[in-house]
Amino acid sequence: MSYIQKLNVVYGDSETQEPHDAIKCFSTTEEKSRDLNKGIGGKHVWLVPVWTEDKNLAAEGFQFVDTEWKVDPRPDSDEQERKFPNLREGCEPDTRAYIRLFPVDPEFPKGKVIKAHLFRSEEDVLGHTVADVINFQNPKNHLLSTWGLAGVTTDINRQRGGSYLYFGWNTDLAPGP
């Protein structure tokens, strides 16, 4: 079985530079672009999974982090944040956002990630807070039940305009349809 180990962030200056293996986007609208910055400006940004056959190296989940503050260009500023590629590269205002791996917790295994997807919608289907997303009993969370997802991020486009955009994944414990 193949697992997703991590995500690479790929930048481009043109839609024609989209990587063939960028994570697919499902949509409730006609817009199915895999570009995270579609309709917002900045660089074209795609997520590309890095695969492994080694279950021990596989990711267990992901977290979207929206720093909501301007990027500090000084090389010594917030070194921890700078190690993650910016999903908002070239956007105004110059803020940072990134997706990082969940820390592995051997006490509470979440399964290993085997599939990942982007979801676009014209309406909020999950809510804007981490509590909304974690509340799997919430009837609004039809993304989780319909797709059998093990997890999903909050809206990647929160406070940026454009469509609602979510990143979700399936694991070997919740493989989905």
Side-chain angles (χ1 to χ4, degrees), residues 56 65 86 110 144 163:
N56 294 319
V65 178
N86 188 5
K110 300 169 188 70
L144 295 172
S163 58

Side-chain angles (χ1 to χ4, degrees), residues 4 10 12 56 78 81 94-95 101 105 115 126 130 161 164-165:
I4 295 177
V10 177
N56 294 319
D78 209 347
E81 300 289 322
D94 193 12
T95 59
L101 299 175
D105 185 347
K115 291 187 243 177
L126 291 179
V130 173
Y164 292 90
L165 182 62

Side-chain angles (χ1 to χ4, degrees), residues 136-149:
F136 291 101
Q137 308 308 313
N138 183 340
K140 282 178 76 174
N141 289 354
H142 64 270
L143 268 182
L144 295 172
S145 59
T146 301
W147 291 90
L149 296 177

